[in-house]
Amino acid sequence: TISIDSGDLDVVEKYAMTGLITDATTNPLFVSQAGAKGDKRYNAMVEEAITYSKEITCNMEGCEAPDETINLAIDRLAVNLGAELTTLVPGKVSTEVDIRLSYDTEASVDRARRIIKMYEEKGISQDRILIKLAGTWEGIQAAAILEKEGIKCNITLVFTFLQAAAAAQAGAYLISPFPGRILDWHKSKTGKQAYSPDSDPGVIAVKKMYAYFRRYDYKTICMPASWRPSRGADVDGSSLDEIIALAGVDEMTIPANLLEELLNSDVTITRNCEPSDGHACTDPDFKLEKESFQTYFDSDPCGQDKLNEGMAAFTQETEKLAKILIERFS
């Protein structure tokens, strides 16, 4: 299964028609872009989100756009975009809970329930939706609560085996590890700018997560996203290195430019991840608690750096979107 990493409706439709993709994922960047676009389809989504949030939280006349009104409009816009995507792809659409709530389990659960309710108001079953939560301990525990309610979750911004193990133990439907960003971190710290795909630290990390899931029969899906050229950008065809090295993993999220390269590539792709890879896992199935999770995570600088960096970027996009919506309220 391949999920496209795009909020551009025309792009998603193009690749959905090829049969290459079945799912789609959104994030604060895509929602922010939708809020800023002049395209009448996106404008209609924004206007509906503003009207909806006014009707729910404040008087339609003279609404001062308090934080709760803007937060509801952000969620509604994400749902409006996701609803359109469900008409283009036959599978699941991921919609992200406000990244600023990633260290608040209760608030994350409440916002996730609200998002699902809005989808259901539009006639879209929760089976079509994945709720995206950041791979913090609190985000993972929010997923544990939601999964028991039948709400499937996608744990994103996963950079460490620890996050993957915690997500699986919590019963998360899916994780999104980022091999390319893991590679970025190692390049920045070691100065080494090229790796063979098999020795790429991001590829190794994802294979370790996948093997753990298979070894202990966790049903959590491993769906890597965010790709980089293992051998370096100056090597022809290297942009597909990590994708090819992880071929056979449960699912992948791939952006349009790399989907196009795959379509036009004459490279023969063989399966490099197998269910039998669980036999290679030597990690114990150690049950994680908050204290042990935090202790181990504090000792992983790559995980800390990349999680903080990813959350900061998504927070910036969310706040940019909030400003766009505030301007549209007036």
Side-chain angles (χ1 to χ4, degrees):
T1 298
I2 295 178
S3 176
I4 190 168
D5 200 11
S6 175
D8 187 312
L9 299 176
D10 294 329
V11 169
V12 174
E13 182 176 24
K14 172 186 173 180
Y15 288 99
M17 289 178 67
T18 68
L20 187 63
I21 64 167
T22 59
D23 295 9
T25 186
T26 63
N27 62 41
L29 173 60
F30 299 148
V31 177
S32 176
Q33 290 171 340
K37 282 191 175 185
D39 187 305
K40 64 181 181 180
R41 295 171 299 174
Y42 297 99
N43 276 336
M45 292 180 198
V46 173
E47 291 304 320
E48 195 280 340
I50 291 171
T51 299
Y52 179 89
S53 61
K54 283 182 177 180
E55 290 176 344
I56 297 296
T57 66
C58 63
N59 191 303
M60 286 290 290
E61 298 298 329
C63 180
E64 296 180 359
D67 288 346
E68 178 51 30
T69 303
I70 294 300
N71 290 338
L72 178 58
I74 289 172
D75 287 351
R76 185 68 175 186
L77 179 55
V79 169
N80 287 345
L81 178 58
E84 287 296 318
L85 292 173
T86 65
T87 70
L88 302 177
V89 298
K92 293 179 170 53
V93 171
S94 291
T95 299
E96 189 151 353
V97 166
D98 191 330
I99 196 72
R100 297 170 296 180
L101 302 177
S102 295
Y103 290 103
D104 188 330
T105 296
E106 183 178 355
S108 293
V109 169
D110 288 345
R111 290 287 280 275
R113 289 171 178 156
R114 183 167 78 179
I115 288 168
I116 291 296
K117 181 180 179 182
M118 285 191 282
Y119 272 115
E120 290 178 337
E121 289 171 352
K122 289 177 172 286
I124 299 167
S125 169
Q126 69 181 37
D127 291 341
R128 295 288 313 278
I129 306 302
L130 295 180
I131 291 294
K132 287 178 77 173
L133 296 155
T136 60
W137 176 259
E138 292 79 8
I140 292 168
Q141 297 318 298
I145 294 169
L146 293 165
E147 291 283 355
K148 290 176 183 175
E149 298 175 5
I151 298 173
K152 294 181 172 64
C153 297
N154 172 352
I155 302 299
T156 189
L157 296 175
V158 173
F159 304 102
T160 68
F161 172 77
L162 178 71
Q163 292 170 288
Q169 291 176 18
Y173 177 80
L174 181 151
I175 65 164
S176 292
F178 290 1
R181 298 193 197 183
I182 296 171
L183 176 61
D184 288 344
W185 187 89
H186 283 272
K187 283 183 174 181
S188 72
K189 298 302 179 183
T190 66
K192 183 177 180 180
Q193 297 303 303
Y195 293 80
S196 67
D198 286 342
S199 65
D200 179 324
V203 170
I204 292 171
V206 173
K207 284 189 172 183
K208 184 176 181 180
M209 298 172 197
Y210 176 76
Y212 173 78
F213 292 174
R214 302 288 82 78
R215 171 69 176 82
Y216 296 108
D217 199 30
Y218 285 112
K219 305 305 180 186
T220 300
I221 292 166
C222 186
M223 185 177 78
S226 182
W227 310 96
R228 302 288 189 272
S230 303
R231 293 170 292 162
D234 57 338
V235 178
D236 187 46
S238 63
S239 56
L240 299 178
D241 282 351
E242 292 182 330
I243 292 173
I244 294 171
L246 290 169
V249 74
D250 300 317
E251 301 182 11
M252 290 183 176
T253 295
I254 303 177
N257 64 310
L258 295 182
L259 286 173
E260 193 65 26
E261 284 196 47
L262 284 168
L263 283 172
N264 296 324
S265 174
D266 56 4
V267 174
T268 299
I269 298 178
T270 58
R271 185 164 188 159
N272 291 311
C273 294
E274 298 278 359
S276 59
D277 290 349
H279 296 301
C281 175
T282 58
D283 296 285
D285 192 22
F286 176 75
K287 300 304 179 186
L288 293 161
E289 302 292 343
K290 183 175 183 178
E291 292 74 18
S292 55
F293 177 91
Q294 199 59 56
T295 297
Y296 289 124
F297 193 71
D298 287 347
S299 67
D300 191 322
C302 175
Q304 291 182 71
D305 290 351
K306 301 311 288 186
L307 178 61
N308 290 337
E309 178 186 289
M311 289 178 60
F314 283 171
T315 296
Q316 183 177 14
E317 291 299 331
T318 301
E319 292 176 349
K320 183 190 301 183
L321 176 58
K323 290 180 181 178
I324 292 170
L325 292 173
I326 289 170
E327 290 172 1
R328 298 286 285 268
F329 263 79
S330 58

